[in-house]
Amino acid sequence: MSIKGRHIVNMNEGWLFQPDAAKVGEQEEWQAAGLPSPMKVTVPHTWNVQEDLEEYRGAGWYEYSLHIPENWRGSRIRIQSEAVYRDAVIWINGREAGSHFHSGYTAFSIDLTANIQYGAENRITVKADNSPSDEALPRGTSFDWADDGGIIRPVKLIVTGQTAIKHIKVSPEVQFGQADNRAAGKLSADVILCAPSAAATVEVAIFKNEQRLWHDVRPLPPETLTWHFTDVHLCPVDLWHFDHPHLYQLQLTLREGEQIEDHVAVTFGFREILVKGHELWLNREPVRLMGVEWMPGSSPVSGMAEKQDELTAMLVRLKEANCVITRFHWQQGSELLDWCDRNGILVQEEIPHWQQPDEPDQHTFALALSQAKEMITDHSHHPCIFAWGMGNELNGQSETTRQYMEQLKQEIQELDSLRLINYVSNTIHFKPGNDATGAGDLLMWNDYIGTWHGDLDEHEVIRQMITDNPDKPVVVAEYGLCEPAFDGGDARRAEILWQKTEIYRQHPQFAALIFFSLNDYRTQMGEDGEGKWKQRIHGSLDIYNGVKPSYAALREISSPLLLAYGPVWREGALEVTLKCRNDIPSYAAKDYYLTVTSAGEELVRQVIPDMHPGELLTMNITVPANPVQKQVLTIYRPTGFSILEQEMN
């Protein structure tokens, strides 16, 4: 009898690994005979942080053995990988089961059922190859991050009935009332099945905080691989926001008669993000946002094979810097995006098309579209993702590039019409009206005037950019200082951050700023270090997550609330006047709160009345007198991340 429902086997421990520098693995049939001289490793894993393999680009082989019980007979058994960098071939018991080429950061699954041996040990073999390739994106060695090879993200075995769910693409829409602006939610979804079924039923349920809000049971259309439903309506709904990350859960249960074949739960959120003229609107509020880009894979201990605790530590740093928006040059894993969903970070996730080919052709288009389909199919349920990125720093002044981006955007809109779609340019300052970033919903500009772009007149460049594109918001997608390419150290980095941010704040067309970067990062293009320490020194943190002085500047600049006056003691109470910023950042501060602590003990916790951009608020806080210990005033977001603190005597 097959297994009921869905059973997950996390395949982290128990792997064997062997590099194949001599390229003899397939000739000697390692997939059938076993690896001749393996070492034990834990997945996620990359060989490019191991001694003697730091510079190795080529094939690495992995082997995993597990017992498949007899009572799994009749089930569907799939292996799912979050990412193998870059080309992957998978065998089960010596027989090829599938492959995944030219895309090292997107998830994939392969059905192993046909070659499973029940009641016996089964050998799964994975060949990963990170050799530079002109057939892939990123292309060759033209990308500015680490090219670590291996099974770089988690792997799991999925055991279900034969009628199983392969993907769920969720599309939550927000509908606002005409009179009271109350938000309602409409949910549609595309459910992709592994195989058609003649007589299956599907139970659909929606939950929030474990409370069931909606439920229905209906027959699955016979002999179909894709089932689409659009008729789920909820009113009212709580909207997802970086300060209020409200989440819902869609649960689907497939049955054949009384037998549960599969059960899947997908977390999602309702939120609306729109461009209105030169403004960016989130949930019917015009916002101007402050952010920073983080380059994952930068620890020389684990490289691109970061574990969840390492990812979380960097994401906490990002939030503690008061940054609410970021971008990733390449696709990320589900654990990282889940954290952004739960804790409130807006993300632009991008196809890793970086610089080459600078005038893309149809071969590149096919690669990019294939990666976009995988990325969107797997990640469309994440409310944190507000935009898809089509590429970074190509020849943006070329008409060929402009047409390419327009065509790619049209295709991506067919896949997901609810998000923004953008191209990030480092050439818009030449002729702003012609640049390929104009094909996107936002103008996204990597601004290195004063360093990589030379000593141009920043004010004139901005004036021309706005004149040529009056009805589009501008997002500065990168600005900062890279050492040792440019001198001045972290002090100059902080100076650039302060000076450029003040210039951008003067122009209401600038909707968001993304400082580059949060951290120094490992990259095969780096100017500093060798082997696994090869890096660009571009960050406000070092590669070990150590804080530099510019991190404090980033945190201060990015705070949505300021201490306009005080805190001072007045008539036995603490008087504080707060200001809600109205330049960058600029958004309403709702449900924020403050505490006063002394020697680690919380003396007071008080809710701050809602504030809107430009408003001042004076609060009088009764605090127990403590003439000996210093007291600390701290202001927090509703999510519990502090935005500022002030010591008091």
Side-chain angles (χ1 to χ4, degrees), residues 263-279:
H263 176 81
V264 179
V266 177
T267 300
F268 67 96
F270 292 100
R271 59 111 184 89
E272 180 188 68
I273 191 157
L274 299 172
V275 168
K276 291 189 175 184
H278 65 260
E279 293 181 329

Side-chain angles (χ1 to χ4, degrees), residues 52 149 156 193 232 240 249 252 277 290 317 328 331 335 441 459 491 545-546 615 646:
D52 300 326
K156 57 189 176 184
L193 303 176
V232 179
W240 187 96
Q249 189 180 74
L252 295 180
M290 192 70 200
R317 287 288 198 202
F328 293 106
Q331 300 94 341
E335 291 177 334
D441 294 304
H459 295 278
N545 198 5
E615 289 183 349
Q646 179 69 47

Side-chain angles (χ1 to χ4, degrees), residues 240-251:
W240 187 96
H241 183 280
F242 50 79
D243 276 340
H244 299 88
H246 294 290
L247 294 172
Y248 292 77
Q249 189 180 74
L250 171 67
Q251 294 188 14

Side-chain angles (χ1 to χ4, degrees), residues 57 132-134 138-145 147 354 524-525:
R57 273 76 183 170
S133 172
D134 287 341
R139 182 175 180 177
T141 57
S142 178
F143 52 100
D144 192 16
W145 54 87
D147 57 345
W354 193 87
Q524 43 90 32
M525 277 190 166

